[in-house]
Amino acid sequence: MEKVNFRTQILNGHLQNHRHATSTAAIISASPCVSYVPPEVSEQPFSFDVSSMRKLMDGHNLGERDWLFNLMVQSKLFNPRLRGGKVFVVPDYNHSMEQQREITMKRIEYLLDHGVFKGWLTGKGPEAEMKKFALLEVIEIFDHSLAIKIGVHFFLWGGAIQFFGTKRHHDRWLSATENYLIKGCFAMTELGHGSNVRGIETTATYEANTGEFVINTPCETAQKYWIGGAANHATHTIVFSQLNIDGNNQGVHAFITQIRDENGNVCPNIRIADCGHKIGLNGVDNGRIWFDNVRIPRENLLNSVADVSPDGKYLSAIKDPDQRFAAFLAPLTSGRVTIAASAVYSAKVISIAFTLFPIISGELISSYYCSILHRYLILIFSHQISLAIAIRYALTRRAFSITANGPEVLLLDYPSHQRRLLPLLAKTYAMSFASNYLKLLYVKRSPQLIKTIHVVSSAFKATLTWHNMRTLQECREACGGQGLKTENRIGQLKGEYDVQSTFEGDNNVLMQQVSKALLAEYVAAKKRNKPFKELGLEHINRSCPVIPAQLTSSMLRSTQFQNDIFCLRERDLLNRFAAEVSQYQAQGESKESAFVVSYQVAEDLGKAFSDRAILQIAIEAENNVTDASIKNILGLLRSMYVLVTLEEDAAFLRYGYLSTDNAAAVRKEVAKLCSEIRPQALALVSTFGIPDAFLSPIAFDWVAANSWSTVEN
Amino acid sequence: MASNPYSFGETDQVLVEEKSSARIFTLNRPKQLNAVSFQMVSRLLDLFLACEEDPSVKLIILKGKGRAFSAGGDVTAVVRDITQGNWRLGANFFGREFILNYVMATYSKPQVSILNGIVMGGGAGVSIHGSFRVATENSLFAMPETALGLFPDVGASYFLSRLPGFFGEYVGLTGARLDGAEMLACGLATHFVPSNKISLLEDALCKADSNDPAVISATISELSLVPNLKEKSDCHRLNIINKCFSRRTVEEIISALEREAADKEDEWISSTIQSLKKASPTSLKISLRSIREGRLQGIGKCLVREYRMVCTVMRGEISKDFFEGCRAILLDKDKNPKWEPSRLEQVTEDMVDCYFSKINEEGWEDLDLPRRSNIPPCAIAKL
């Protein structure tokens, strides 16, 4: 009877609409056949307090975040548009590359004028750092280009000065950078060398008679490439070059070089070209730079570790270039740069650096650098944005009736649609905790933590950015045709964020480094017959967990089982990897080539480490919660995260951690969890704290947003 | 006939006229400048809900009797209730008032408010959320709550935050007065019609016999004009307002203004600083945060938050400024309130947080807004 009534209502609507149109012949009235009902109206009331959950997820500086959202929403520069009765701010990606770059720079000026960057380089202490992160995250929710352009200036250019420079550099550049009196960029990557920085070909030769370094691009593959900010705006750059003194190569060093004058004209002996249009991030002016005998004063060498005396003596307490590099990095992690101007360097710092870098080699220079300075930029929010949009849409859009004459079914009421989106939502929760953890690790960094920071940030960077891209694609498809519209953000975000799997360390290279680091721990522990005590590998000291033959629903949801199975996978893969590498070495392969050919296990191991670390962080976050309703939903999400990982990673079946029976039980449980999380879906995306204006029209009244009356005739 | 919501009576606080498909509601407490009382709010709420159900009603016109549209909520009555007994009586009033604001903001039929006089506080609450706001040369708008130890409520964190740039922060924190031309310029009013044409307007609207917003808008537009802003209008000050009122905290706003004042002698700047310094420090801080949060929220969430805030104000545990403000401005009229805490820096982040949290007292619950389905898009955001 209900269905008959429904049908009658719709028909009635058609007739009335028709009558209305003929009688007034004015604007078509807003009573469409399928009307939009806001999910807030149709969904059950939330079972937990959304603002407490937001506090937990965002973690810090909520007031600053909201302030910055306000600043952006209230300025015409951020392209506000009225759609379906709501204002949305989103960059106009239909602008040309030049226009996008121009408006990005104007937005930076606006933020600067309003004091957003105050203290970003001159502020001290963890509080200033957390505030900076919070603000950058908010900027990123608006536009990745804007965040990257700011990130390059403050964290690559500014960070290099801060950490690799000494007092004379700090005094001259930090405050000028914070106020954008100069614009910095960071010239490390070359056409011929990306992740392998030790192989770069740019040279810096010292001339004692003039007291200058002469910088040169000796060949085409040495041109600096992908340098963010170089194509249009940057006035200064950090150049990474091979330092030559009296014909001796002292390894890679960093130099400050001016590339444009205050009027924006390219300096003499510098050639700059554009990297051109990209699949995304067109608000960032990536450029290429050639140096033709560019002369810079001796003082422009960033000399925290090594210096060159006026008469051309290379001054460093450390002879080996790789070890020197290790020391170079030490101040990065001490939180403060305390080294005096010359190359005098305390033996203590050096020895710490040595012991911390048993696995380091020059090829890792960039990833080490980035892991400290820049990798928090993986704190990506596009998976949150896309999930919020796709889930809100799935709660208002219907498709197909499953009974004759019945109403069409909401997308998110289809179990298959739940299976597509809700596991990704659960992963997003786990990964948000992981990135908060990483931030804290960075803020409280110490020499003792550098290895952990490097390994964890490498693993999380790869895992999170891969998850991000996967989520974007799934959400795009889940929104159907609407996902293709630029105004709905998701499709565009794919292009904007794709670069994240590559910059700050190629994901695959990073994961290999994780495996290598784990192997180094393994070798060290076995050789000295000592227990594991770092990187969360302590579980290997205990006896090997046993997985029950018949897993029940409650076992599957227990942290005990979840922890066990992730630890089991990690320890077993680590054993296998060690065995495989040593087998190749026994056959006469070098250590390096043994790594290279063992890539399959290495890849599985990297994943296993990352998943286990993320799970443990999620469990800890859950344990710290006192509110029962929040604890409850976090438990569901954590179970979903683990079980869907068990389902998706073939390693569990391949190596027999799960029996086929147990794998079937896991699959069944995932479906059950989907239906249990479904009623909370709206609340769960509401906690992301992304204001409506930063979502998109299909997340709200998409009928009104597309109605005839909004068409500009 | 007890169930008939249109029962008439001269002593009613709301007068009701029926003209074809239009209903004209007149706020009828001219001696009190049509201050919004509990009785008036309840009556308006019943009327609005009944008219929404009634298919013969297409349009609602709301106006005030006498020289005011409405000078605001009947705060003296609230304070009297609270001091005599339970703050819950006050909560009851505000809760009902906010629900009325919500119903208006999500109303499915056009509401034309004729703002021919004073529109302040609660008076803004019963008009600005409606689809059409007609200002005249007699209009005088202000949200003066911070001078009273309160904060801009009645959904003001929603509509003030949607004014251009940071004008909303300016209006909400300083209690600045705006005339009809300024209301139109900033979007608080949708039209400006000279007062001598108001009765023509009413007739035209009744004759239009339509619930189509486009038709109503066209009808009003025929009688409306765009007045010139006065030379010293705040609307000419948008640059400096944006520059200063976009700052993160009240302290930073004031120091930004003081820096401007140091650069040049300017009466407007110094009087703006003066009004901020005269206002309750607690009020300033919670008002700023409320407007900032409001900008990122829908009207429903704004009202739920404001209800938490107003209940915290009435409980007086963090600060009793509301009572002191009412004493100094409305009762004793010595215009010399003694705020406590007396300085901005004494109002800590934790204290401010309390106003935005649930109230930990038995029986207290968050404002329960009626579920409104089929909200037309035009009813969601008007500004």
Side-chain angles (χ1 to χ4, degrees):
Chain A
M1 196 58 205
E2 204 177 32
K3 287 158 202 157
V4 176
N5 283 340
F6 179 80
R7 217 46 226 161
T8 323
Q9 267 174 24
I10 290 194
L11 286 174
N12 200 18
H14 281 282
L15 292 170
Q16 282 191 341
N17 231 352
H18 181 69
R19 222 170 38 223
H20 186 261
T22 47
S23 63
T24 59
I27 294 164
I28 293 173
S29 111
S31 56
C33 337
V34 181
S35 62
Y36 172 85
V37 181
E40 282 80 2
V41 170
S42 57
E43 288 291 295
Q44 293 300 309
F46 298 164
S47 76
F48 59 89
D49 183 44
V50 166
S51 59
S52 311
M53 184 72 109
R54 183 195 170 197
K55 251 181 226 161
L56 192 68
M57 300 277 291
D58 272 349
H60 56 99
N61 296 90
L62 268 67
E64 271 88 4
R65 287 172 201 261
D66 284 350
W67 166 64
L68 183 49
F69 279 129
N70 272 285
L71 271 183
M72 296 198 279
V73 171
Q74 288 309 91
S75 165
K76 291 276 173 285
L77 281 173
F78 291 79
N79 195 32
R81 285 184 190 181
L82 190 65
R83 303 280 283 114
K86 288 180 86 84
V87 173
F88 294 97
V89 288
V90 67
D92 189 342
Y93 294 111
N94 198 28
H95 275 163
S96 69
M97 179 181 82
E98 284 76 13
Q99 287 170 311
Q100 289 189 47
R101 290 173 177 181
E102 221 37 60
I103 191 81
T104 302
M105 201 60 228
K106 286 211 178 100
R107 286 171 185 147
I108 291 176
E109 282 158 19
Y110 172 80
L111 298 177
L112 175 71
D113 286 347
H114 286 81
V116 173
F117 307 129
K118 216 172 123 199
W120 278 32
L121 288 171
T122 56
K124 298 262 183 297
E127 252 176 51
E129 281 188 319
M130 291 308 265
K131 179 179 153 198
K132 180 166 69 183
F133 287 148
L135 294 176
L136 195 70
E137 286 167 19
V138 168
I139 291 169
E140 184 151 334
I141 288 174
F142 172 73
D143 180 31
H144 198 205
S145 283
L146 184 59
I148 292 299
K149 183 132 172 121
I150 291 167
V152 167
H153 176 77
F154 281 98
F155 300 100
L156 293 188
W157 156 267
I161 305 266
Q162 214 168 16
F163 293 117
F164 297 164
T166 49
K167 187 167 183 303
R168 64 172 182 241
H169 304 112
H170 301 162
D171 292 348
R172 174 142 181 222
W173 301 107
L174 289 184
S175 154
T177 300
E178 193 171 293
N179 295 307
Y180 273 93
L181 301 178
I182 55 115
K183 299 183 189 105
C185 63
F186 187 78
M188 186 157 74
T189 313
E190 297 175 356
L191 177 59
H193 291 88
S195 295
N196 180 13
V197 176
R198 196 163 59 160
I200 61 166
E201 298 169 287
T202 303
T203 58
T205 308
Y206 186 66
E207 278 190 14
N209 54 344
T210 56
E212 290 170 324
F213 292 105
V214 183
I215 301 193
N216 263 303
T217 304
C219 56
E220 283 301 358
T221 51
Q223 65 180 274
K224 293 293 179 185
Y225 214 98
W226 291 127
I227 312 310
N232 292 108
H233 298 124
T235 58
H236 291 72
T237 188
I238 305 287
V239 194
F240 282 80
S241 343
Q242 303 285 353
L243 172 59
N244 290 318
I245 296 177
D246 296 333
N248 292 327
N249 179 9
Q250 300 290 354
V252 176
H253 288 70
F255 303 84
I256 296 170
T257 305
Q258 184 163 5
I259 56 172
R260 284 192 177 82
D261 64 21
E262 54 272 31
N263 301 319
N265 303 312
V266 176
C267 292
N269 299 355
I270 303 266
R271 285 175 286 149
I272 293 180
D274 209 306
C275 286
H277 190 262
K278 306 184 290 284
I279 60 167
L281 270 190
N282 281 304
V284 178
D285 52 325
N286 291 94
R288 304 180 278 151
I289 314 175
W290 291 258
F291 300 89
D292 308 319
N293 288 317
V294 176
R295 294 181 162 270
I296 56 167
R298 189 184 63 89
E299 290 76 18
N300 283 18
L301 169 67
L302 293 177
N303 60 338
S304 67
V305 170
D307 207 347
V308 175
S309 70
D311 60 346
K313 288 227 169 52
Y314 186 71
L315 303 172
S316 177
I318 314 163
K319 294 287 169 278
D320 182 87
D322 286 348
Q323 293 171 351
R324 197 152 57 224
F325 176 65
F328 194 41
L329 289 166
L332 282 182
T333 55
S334 69
R336 262 202 327 267
V337 185
T338 49
I339 300 103
S342 75
V344 180
Y345 216 68
S346 83
K348 197 173 153 211
V349 174
I350 296 162
S351 65
I352 290 172
F354 284 151
T355 53
L356 286 171
F357 288 85
I359 53 156
I360 195 169
S361 65
E363 82 189 47
L364 303 184
I365 191 170
S366 68
S367 58
Y368 263 85
Y369 181 83
C370 294
S371 68
I372 313 299
L373 278 187
H374 201 200
R375 204 170 286 148
Y376 67 86
L377 275 185
I378 59 166
L379 305 172
I380 34 175
F381 287 87
S382 60
H383 53 136
Q384 295 189 352
I385 299 171
S386 63
L387 279 168
I389 294 171
I391 285 177
R392 292 187 62 93
Y393 186 56
L395 288 170
T396 60
R397 177 67 149 83
R398 294 169 182 273
F400 301 106
S401 323
I402 48 174
T403 49
N405 294 329
E408 292 186 294
V409 176
L410 275 182
L411 296 185
L412 204 62
D413 284 336
Y414 286 100
S416 57
H417 209 77
Q418 295 170 8
R419 176 61 185 81
R420 289 168 71 187
L421 295 179
L422 301 182
L424 293 171
L425 181 62
K427 284 190 173 182
T428 284
Y429 265 74
M431 300 208 184
S432 302
F433 290 128
S435 61
N436 277 342
Y437 168 85
L438 194 57
K439 245 187 298 186
L440 283 174
L441 204 58
Y442 169 80
V443 167
K444 59 180 193 209
R445 62 193 178 273
S446 69
Q448 285 71 32
L449 276 176
I450 185 167
K451 185 162 66 190
T452 306
I453 293 179
H454 174 63
V455 176
V456 171
S457 71
S458 299
F460 286 8
K461 187 268 184 182
T463 309
L464 267 69
T465 53
W466 274 329
H467 165 69
N468 188 47
M469 288 311 290
R470 212 190 125 201
T471 305
L472 288 173
Q473 182 63 27
E474 196 63 62
C475 290
R476 203 301 288 153
E477 293 177 29
C479 292
Q482 289 296 334
L484 299 169
K485 291 188 72 170
T486 315
E487 70 169 17
N488 290 326
R489 298 206 69 179
I490 302 172
Q492 183 71 32
L493 288 173
K494 290 199 298 168
E496 297 295 314
Y497 278 84
D498 206 336
V499 64
Q500 294 223 344
S501 340
T502 299
F503 73 9
E504 315 315 330
D506 174 90
N507 278 4
N508 288 290
V509 175
L510 290 179
M511 279 309 225
Q512 285 160 15
Q513 287 181 17
V514 171
S515 305
K516 274 188 199 176
L518 296 177
L519 184 62
E521 285 295 301
Y522 181 90
V523 171
K526 294 288 158 182
K527 214 185 266 172
R528 292 188 217 121
N529 207 10
K530 283 204 172 144
F532 290 92
K533 50 178 195 228
E534 268 191 281
L535 301 178
L537 295 175
E538 295 85 342
H539 66 88
I540 301 179
N541 303 326
R542 294 191 290 270
S543 61
C544 188
V546 177
I547 305 302
Q550 291 289 325
L551 286 167
T552 63
S553 170
S554 64
M555 282 183 210
L556 285 168
R557 294 182 188 212
S558 69
T559 48
Q560 166 84 39
F561 159 74
Q562 294 167 358
N563 205 20
D564 279 356
I565 188 126
F566 274 17
C567 288
L568 175 65
R569 175 177 57 153
E570 188 182 25
R571 74 191 283 155
D572 182 66
L573 286 170
L574 183 50
N575 282 324
R576 282 171 192 269
F577 184 50
E580 193 169 324
V581 169
S582 70
Q583 199 188 345
Y584 280 117
Q585 282 181 292
Q587 290 166 7
E589 298 271 0
S590 71
K591 195 168 149 198
E592 282 305 313
S593 68
F595 277 136
V596 169
V597 288
S598 307
Y599 71 97
Q600 286 180 320
V601 194
E603 205 175 282
D604 285 342
L605 175 60
K607 238 189 273 175
F609 169 80
S610 186
D611 291 344
R612 192 265 308 148
I614 292 174
L615 172 63
Q616 291 180 342
I617 292 164
I619 290 174
E620 203 185 318
E622 193 183 323
N623 288 343
N624 289 337
V625 170
T626 48
D627 181 317
S629 57
I630 290 186
K631 227 183 173 77
N632 185 36
I633 182 71
L634 287 180
L636 289 182
L637 292 167
R638 185 237 316 136
S639 291
M640 175 69 103
Y641 163 68
V642 172
L643 297 187
V644 85
T645 306
L646 297 185
E647 199 182 35
E648 285 169 354
D649 186 355
F652 291 97
L653 281 169
R654 183 186 301 132
Y655 302 109
Y657 314 133
L658 276 181
S659 65
T660 47
D661 277 358
N662 278 344
V666 165
R667 193 174 175 77
K668 231 168 100 187
E669 202 62 25
V670 167
K672 240 166 98 187
L673 281 167
C674 279
S675 62
E676 286 173 46
I677 294 174
R678 158 69 184 85
Q680 318 280 349
L682 180 65
L684 288 170
V685 296
S686 305
T687 62
F688 292 157
I690 304 171
D692 296 356
F694 293 79
L695 297 178
S696 75
I698 50 163
F700 301 95
D701 191 344
W702 40 270
V703 180
N706 289 288
S707 68
W708 176 251
S709 62
T710 64
V711 178
E712 283 174 27
N713 297 304
Chain B
M1 290 301 285
S3 65
N4 180 3
Y6 310 130
S7 61
F8 305 106
E10 277 304 308
T11 56
D12 277 349
Q13 297 196 357
V14 180
L15 305 178
V16 180
E17 290 170 79
E18 214 177 305
K19 283 194 184 168
S20 77
S21 62
R23 295 291 177 276
I24 304 176
F25 302 152
T26 306
L27 307 180
N28 184 32
R29 296 181 80 200
K31 277 187 197 146
Q32 292 87 0
L33 297 174
N34 298 324
V36 178
S37 64
F38 184 77
Q39 201 189 334
M40 189 189 277
V41 165
S42 304
R43 178 89 173 112
L44 280 172
L45 186 56
D46 291 346
L47 286 167
F48 268 79
L49 290 175
C51 286
E52 195 162 44
E53 294 298 311
D54 185 343
S56 70
V57 179
K58 292 184 180 165
L59 170 75
I60 288 173
I61 298 173
L62 188 64
K63 57 182 189 175
K65 189 166 188 176
R67 65 190 177 93
F69 172 78
S70 167
D74 195 349
V75 193
T76 28
V78 172
V79 170
R80 197 173 49 234
D81 282 347
I82 301 172
T83 43
Q84 280 173 5
N86 196 336
W87 64 273
R88 292 295 183 87
L89 287 171
N92 215 6
F93 165 72
F94 283 108
R96 187 68 68 91
E97 186 182 21
F98 291 3
I99 286 172
L100 173 65
N101 300 145
Y102 184 66
V103 166
M104 287 173 161
T106 55
Y107 208 60
S108 56
K109 299 175 182 180
Q111 171 191 348
V112 179
S113 302
I114 295 171
L115 308 175
N116 188 23
I118 300 168
V119 190
M120 291 186 186
V126 295
S127 54
I128 306 297
H129 294 294
S131 37
F132 299 101
R133 290 88 59 189
V134 180
T136 73
E137 72 280 4
N138 299 321
S139 299
L140 175 65
F141 175 94
M143 296 301 285
E145 287 86 351
T146 57
L148 216 61
L150 196 59
F151 64 93
D153 59 342
V154 294
S157 63
Y158 181 82
F159 63 75
L160 286 181
S161 63
R162 277 150 182 83
L163 300 185
F166 294 84
F167 199 65
E169 273 91 340
Y170 166 68
V171 171
L173 296 186
T174 63
R177 298 179 165 209
L178 306 177
D179 64 22
E182 291 168 324
M183 289 180 73
L184 183 70
C186 73
L188 282 166
T190 56
H191 296 80
F192 183 98
V193 174
S195 59
N196 57 13
K197 294 203 176 137
I198 288 297
S199 55
L200 281 179
L201 175 66
E202 284 183 37
D203 292 345
L205 285 170
C206 296
K207 234 179 272 163
D209 187 33
S210 170
N211 60 7
D212 183 341
V215 173
I216 301 299
S217 180
T219 309
I220 310 174
S221 295
E222 268 178 39
L223 293 164
S224 61
L225 53 87
V226 179
N228 289 330
L229 286 168
K230 61 185 183 224
E231 196 188 328
K232 290 196 167 174
S233 167
D234 296 348
C235 295
H236 297 313
R237 299 285 188 156
L238 274 183
N239 276 342
I240 190 168
I241 286 173
N242 286 341
K243 197 170 162 193
C244 300
F245 283 84
S246 60
R247 300 287 146 180
R248 157 102 177 79
T249 61
V250 178
E251 288 92 330
E252 287 172 60
I253 289 173
I254 292 177
S255 60
L257 284 163
E258 284 172 341
R259 271 199 303 278
E260 293 290 325
D263 286 351
K264 56 176 182 284
E265 192 80 3
D266 185 310
E267 197 189 325
W268 179 87
I269 299 178
S270 45
S271 75
T272 300
I273 294 172
Q274 267 317 304
S275 50
L276 288 174
K277 294 207 160 155
K278 259 171 43 191
S280 148
T282 309
S283 291
L284 287 175
K285 285 205 168 175
I286 63 173
S287 301
L288 180 63
R289 171 144 161 208
S290 176
I291 293 170
R292 294 276 161 87
E293 289 194 4
R295 187 168 283 131
L296 310 174
Q297 295 170 334
I299 177 66
K301 278 193 181 162
C302 287
L303 288 165
V304 169
R305 172 175 34 72
E306 289 177 8
Y307 183 71
R308 287 184 182 186
M309 294 170 69
V310 85
C311 287
T312 312
V313 166
M314 287 185 298
R315 290 180 81 209
E317 279 196 351
I318 316 286
S319 159
K320 297 191 180 6
D321 280 1
F322 177 46
F323 307 99
E324 173 62 12
C326 288
R327 182 203 63 74
I329 310 290
L330 303 174
L331 302 172
D332 299 352
K333 300 190 177 168
D334 60 19
K335 291 187 179 164
N336 188 20
K338 296 272 177 283
W339 304 127
E340 186 58 47
S342 60
R343 294 203 318 272
L344 281 166
E345 58 270 28
Q346 294 166 331
V347 185
T348 64
E349 202 65 14
D350 286 346
M351 290 161 74
V352 173
D353 279 344
C354 290
Y355 287 85
F356 295 80
S357 312
K358 286 189 178 186
I359 285 166
N360 199 3
E361 192 175 302
E362 214 182 303
W364 183 90
E365 272 177 18
D366 267 331
L367 183 62
D368 189 17
L369 293 170
R371 291 212 150 197
R372 316 257 307 151
S373 54
N374 295 320
I375 300 167
C378 64
I380 293 171
K382 264 68 165 251
L383 287 159

